[in-house]
Amino acid sequence: MKHSITLGKVSKFMGLGFLTTFKDLFTGKLEKEDFKNFLRKVVVPLASIFLFIGLWHAGSKSLYNIEADFRINKALEEQGQVAADAVAACIALGEDSSCQPNTLPSPAQVWGSYKSLLRDHNIISADKAAFIEKTAVLNEKRVADGKDPIVYTGRPSFVDQIFRSLQTVFAGFLLALLIAVPLGIFIGLSPTLKSSFNWFIQIFKPVSPVVWYLLVFMIVKTLLIGSSEDSSFTISFISVGLCSMWATLVNTAMGVSSVDKDYINVAKVLKLGTFQKIFKVVLPSSLPLIFTGLKITLSVAWMVLIAIELLAQSPGLGLFVWEEFQNGANDSNAKIIVAMFVIGIIGFLLDRLMLTIQNWVSFDKTDAI
Amino acid sequence: MAYLELNNIYKTYGQGENETEVLSNINLSIEEGEFVAIVGFTGSGKTTLVNLINGLLEPTKGEVLFKGEPVQGTSHERGVIFQNYSLLPWLTVGQNIFMAVKEAFPKKSKTELNTIVADYVDMVSLTPAINKRPKELSGGMRQRVAVARALAMKPEMIIMDEPLGALDALTRGNLQDEILNIWGKDKRTALLITNDVDEGIYMADRIIPLRPGPNATLGPEFKIDIERPRDKTEMNDNANFKETRNAIIEYLMDIGEERKSEAKAEFVLPDLSPKDFVNQFK
Ligand SMILES: Nc1ncnc2c1ncn2[C@@H]1O[C@H](COP(=O)(O)OP(=O)(O)OP(=O)(O)O)[C@@H](O)[C@H]1O
Ligand SMILES: [Mg+2]
């Protein structure tokens, strides 16, 4: 059977059903009964976004005023009227960062920072492209001579940081998958292994990402002793993997050990071999639970990534946030908020991605929530 | 020596306080080529009995002998049609049957196996649904897949646990004939669990009631001396048929009454768990 893949189907499959409503709106296909649906799925969410931005704006403004008043009053008390006037003027002018209130940035400031980060990215990309072009001929010669090519070592842009973070999280996720799924299958298949591993899982599951980082750091540092390579990426992705794999481990073990007795009976009556039984019966039947675990693993991995990158000084969004915080420039706070939104949106998209894959492989095609 | 022999079988579930004896002192012997039907009330232990014979369960006491050897685990020689279909939901109709056929005939080529699958799918008239998954089928269609899967393995003995329960009268009749057909070819042996006395009389050589559990035992057997091939409409006028049918129904009514009066006296609820009930609606 062939399915024609439409926008509606794909978006519904991915749990983005509201896109269909949007399309209907523009193609004029909206029926009267659909109006209520449209109100609920498009108007209300949009209104809530505007409400959120409005509240944020008002909140940041009042925080700004509190901090500004405090600075002026402090100057008045400590240095007199003239100094206070100077501070007030400085704040009103908004150029010198040293006198600016350092508080929650407004939505407009954040939007401005977002655009400036993109501009920065464009400049760096152009720079990089020019560099690569310039060194292309030279590098060819160097490679031919058996020497290492010259690589661009300039400052990474915000977008580069995002990709570094995604790399780290996928490497960590892959590690978690490769460890937790096979281990979970073994544990789930044998009650003996299950009881002997139980304490292990219970103890290590709640350990905080910071401690995992330190543990991995101790081990990797020793293993790579004498090597001049930068181990921060290795350390951070291993920490992310170890920290996030528990949900998959527990769910896989649970799925494998709770396969419907009827299916096991079928496997017995057909006399399937162990291998066949695992791959044809046990795994397909526990796939939904395994994927629920993987979904949790990926979102945990993304969540702890920021903290671990920050600790490991491994390039990525975590390090970006930390450096901006340390930097204390005029727009640092706004950049941190930009990073926050980017982290949130990517987290959401990763979750949707997993849901899509889960729906794809699952035999029980329930609608996405 | 009988083909299948059950000697003093006892089966208990649970341990300690929860221990219940479902089957008590079951004795049964089936000759090669015979078709035996067992009728019984729900919850009396029919599925338990079936699982003891196919090797999924072991008796607490007593022995099950198949061709003189004690039954140890399952075997391709004894094909099973499960009461709750037990199809694998992630495989299509064709794949469900293919998996079974492949295990039963490991030496056959893929094309040969596919031909067998197609034949049996056609036999249960599911060719249009061969690429569908169990979720997309009606209860009756699923049951037909389960029948096709068991028969396609060409077992020496066919064990059927209420295989036609969810079917309408017409399809039921067709499948009864198909099963009889396959049983008649190469002289196979069959054990049919059913709750339909007429079905038992139409298909079997002997009908044995299973008395309600706990401590279910087998009742007296009823021989069906009607020439094969049997004809449904003619049979209704057959004196032998009427007599046997009345005798069995009377016997079952009597134990039904017994059970009722017992229940009245003690007000104990029978120890029934709705396990199969739930599975039927999956
Ligand atoms: N695994 C089990 N553990 C404990 N008790 C069980 C188990 N399986 C069945 N029983 C009990 O044994 C009794 C007989 O069950 P069984 O499934 O054999 O009945 P049945 O005759 O097949 O019923 P039905 O006609 O509804 O299919 C029931 O009281 C049931 O509760
Ligand atoms: Mg049963």
Side-chain angles (χ1 to χ4, degrees):
Chain A
M1 244 194 326
K2 269 185 199 155
H3 285 291
S4 61
I5 294 185
T6 61
L7 169 68
K9 256 191 197 133
V10 172
S11 61
K12 191 162 180 222
F13 202 56
M14 291 194 62
L16 303 170
F18 61 90
L19 283 182
T20 325
T21 325
F22 255 137
K23 194 193 78 184
D24 288 349
L25 178 69
F26 292 124
T27 51
K29 264 199 335 207
L30 217 55
E31 297 279 323
K32 214 175 173 188
E33 314 91 69
D34 287 339
F35 184 70
K36 229 173 157 179
N37 221 356
F38 170 70
L39 210 67
R40 202 181 63 225
K41 281 194 172 156
V42 179
V43 176
V44 175
L46 276 182
S48 72
I49 290 174
F50 282 123
L51 184 71
F52 172 74
I53 293 179
L55 282 177
W56 173 14
H57 178 79
S60 69
K61 194 158 182 173
S62 83
L63 286 175
Y64 182 90
N65 287 340
I66 292 174
E67 181 120 9
D69 287 348
F70 176 78
R71 286 185 185 221
I72 295 171
N73 280 336
K74 198 171 160 206
L76 186 67
E77 274 168 25
E78 286 173 6
Q79 297 160 37
Q81 187 62 42
V82 183
D85 284 347
V87 170
C90 175
I91 288 173
L93 201 62
E95 272 170 8
D96 184 1
S97 69
S98 64
C99 66
Q100 284 300 313
N102 181 12
T103 182
L104 179 72
S106 73
Q109 279 172 308
V110 171
W111 181 247
S113 294
Y114 166 71
K115 285 197 294 193
S116 93
L117 281 171
L118 276 192
R119 254 196 321 273
D120 184 49
H121 169 69
N122 287 337
I123 294 169
I124 292 179
S125 303
D127 196 31
K128 199 166 162 183
F131 177 84
I132 288 171
E133 204 179 320
K134 213 167 64 191
T135 54
V137 181
L138 181 66
N139 271 345
E140 235 170 73
K141 221 166 123 195
R142 282 181 70 104
V143 171
D145 291 348
K147 282 191 244 172
D148 285 342
I150 307 171
V151 289
Y152 182 76
T153 51
R155 182 171 60 90
S157 76
F158 182 63
V159 179
D160 295 336
Q161 309 263 41
I162 295 177
F163 282 105
R164 283 310 296 265
S165 279
L166 283 174
Q167 259 172 27
T168 316
V169 92
F170 278 117
F173 176 72
L174 217 64
L175 181 76
L177 186 131
L178 290 179
I179 296 177
V181 173
L183 197 63
I185 292 173
F186 281 122
I187 293 176
L189 284 176
S190 139
T192 325
L193 271 185
K194 197 171 183 179
S195 51
S196 57
F197 262 96
N198 196 32
W199 68 269
F200 181 80
I201 296 175
Q202 299 304 334
I203 289 180
F204 283 97
K205 200 169 64 166
V207 168
S208 122
V210 176
V211 180
W212 276 115
Y213 162 74
L214 295 175
L215 196 74
V216 174
F217 177 75
M218 295 175 213
I219 296 169
V220 171
K221 191 191 63 171
T222 316
L223 287 182
L224 291 182
I225 212 157
S227 151
S228 63
E229 249 175 78
D230 180 19
S231 60
S232 66
F233 176 76
T234 318
I235 292 175
S236 56
F237 95 77
I238 294 178
S239 314
V240 167
L242 291 183
C243 195
S244 63
M245 70 176 206
W246 303 96
T248 302
L249 183 63
V250 171
N251 273 30
T252 307
M254 197 156 84
V256 167
S257 64
S258 62
V259 175
D260 194 325
K261 202 145 189 288
D262 287 349
Y263 305 154
I264 299 291
N265 279 350
V266 170
K268 279 190 190 153
V269 165
L270 300 186
K271 295 199 82 78
L272 298 183
T274 317
F275 195 75
Q276 287 262 325
K277 186 175 136 193
I278 293 177
F279 282 91
K280 291 262 168 83
V281 177
V282 173
L283 272 187
S285 130
S286 34
L287 220 51
L289 260 181
I290 295 180
F291 263 88
T292 312
L294 286 176
K295 213 171 96 187
I296 300 172
T297 288
L298 187 59
S299 57
V300 170
W302 184 246
M303 210 161 72
V304 301
L305 173 81
I306 307 303
I308 284 176
E309 275 179 350
L310 187 156
L311 284 168
Q313 296 289 300
S314 162
L317 285 170
L319 192 61
F320 173 85
V321 169
W322 184 241
E323 278 174 352
E324 285 305 328
F325 178 68
Q326 300 267 298
N327 190 348
N330 215 358
D331 59 350
S332 281
N333 286 357
K335 280 182 180 166
I336 290 172
I337 304 282
V338 173
M340 182 187 94
F341 277 109
V342 168
I343 290 164
I345 290 169
I346 290 177
F348 169 72
L349 290 179
L350 289 178
D351 203 57
R352 286 291 146 182
L353 182 75
M354 284 304 289
L355 199 69
T356 311
I357 300 174
Q358 186 178 4
N359 281 341
W360 206 270
V361 297
S362 157
F363 55 91
D364 183 14
K365 296 226 177 340
T366 41
D367 260 357
I369 319 129
Chain B
M1 182 191 69
Y3 187 69
L4 178 83
E5 239 180 302
L6 274 68
N7 295 329
N8 306 315
I9 296 285
Y10 289 81
K11 179 67 192 173
T12 51
Y13 281 120
Q15 270 173 349
E17 262 180 46
N18 298 322
E19 193 176 270
T20 41
E21 190 168 278
V22 178
L23 297 176
S24 294
N25 197 23
I26 300 274
N27 285 289
L28 173 70
S29 81
I30 299 179
E31 296 301 325
E32 182 158 9
E34 220 185 351
F35 198 127
V36 174
I38 289 177
V39 287
F41 292 99
T42 176
S44 55
K46 301 186 298 291
T47 301
T48 308
L49 182 62
V50 159
N51 285 344
L52 288 171
I53 296 172
N54 65 31
L56 284 173
L57 287 178
E58 277 177 26
T60 315
K61 237 164 52 186
E63 55 175 4
V64 183
L65 299 176
F66 180 69
K67 297 202 271 190
E69 300 278 319
V71 163
Q72 276 169 340
T74 56
S75 150
H76 285 159
E77 293 174 315
R78 281 165 278 133
V80 190
I81 303 175
F82 289 104
Q83 182 175 14
N84 37 25
Y85 331 131
S86 301
L87 302 174
L88 302 180
W90 50 89
L91 298 180
T92 64
V93 170
Q95 289 167 338
N96 262 294
I97 300 174
F98 186 87
M99 186 175 174
V101 181
K102 197 175 137 208
E103 290 302 320
F105 312 109
K107 292 205 182 96
K108 283 205 158 83
S109 76
K110 207 171 166 192
T111 24
E112 282 176 297
L113 295 178
N114 276 325
T115 324
I116 300 179
V117 172
D119 284 350
Y120 279 86
V121 170
D122 187 52
M123 183 198 88
V124 295
S125 356
L126 282 176
T127 308
I130 192 165
N131 288 323
K132 287 198 172 156
R133 280 171 213 282
K135 277 252 153 64
E136 305 168 80
L137 304 179
S138 73
M141 289 161 100
R142 286 181 216 173
Q143 207 155 24
R144 271 141 66 198
V145 181
V147 170
R149 179 175 64 184
L151 297 184
M153 294 174 81
K154 305 209 171 107
E156 277 181 43
M157 180 179 183
I158 316 166
I159 303 167
M160 299 166 273
D161 191 359
E162 306 192 35
L164 310 176
L167 302 180
D168 60 281
L170 215 61
T171 327
R172 205 173 166 136
N174 282 342
L175 269 177
Q176 283 171 355
D177 290 336
E178 282 299 345
I179 292 172
L180 283 174
N181 229 339
I182 285 168
W183 163 74
K185 260 191 245 167
D186 333 315
K187 267 195 85 78
R188 277 180 235 188
T189 312
L191 176 69
L192 171 75
I193 305 290
T194 181
N195 50 24
D196 179 354
V197 176
D198 287 356
E199 180 171 274
I201 298 178
Y202 178 60
M203 297 180 78
D205 298 321
R206 273 194 290 155
I207 295 186
I208 306 169
L210 182 66
R211 298 174 57 90
N215 302 354
T217 50
L218 289 176
E221 65 172 41
F222 296 85
K223 276 217 151 46
I224 319 288
D225 286 322
I226 304 177
E227 284 276 305
R228 292 179 192 271
R230 294 170 184 168
D231 184 294
K232 275 233 169 78
T233 37
E234 264 176 41
M235 247 170 57
N236 280 329
D237 302 324
N238 187 319
N240 197 339
F241 167 76
K242 278 188 200 162
E243 207 179 297
T244 322
R245 184 172 186 271
N246 286 343
I248 297 172
I249 289 179
E250 210 169 291
Y251 180 79
L252 289 175
M253 297 255 281
D254 278 352
I255 42 181
E257 283 297 321
E258 247 172 64
R259 198 158 62 144
K260 242 193 253 164
S261 54
E262 265 172 37
K264 247 183 215 149
E266 291 185 29
F267 284 109
V268 221
L269 289 173
D271 178 25
L272 299 180
S273 76
K275 179 182 172 255
D276 288 347
F277 180 77
V278 171
N279 282 336
Q280 272 173 18
F281 289 89
K282 260 192 196 159

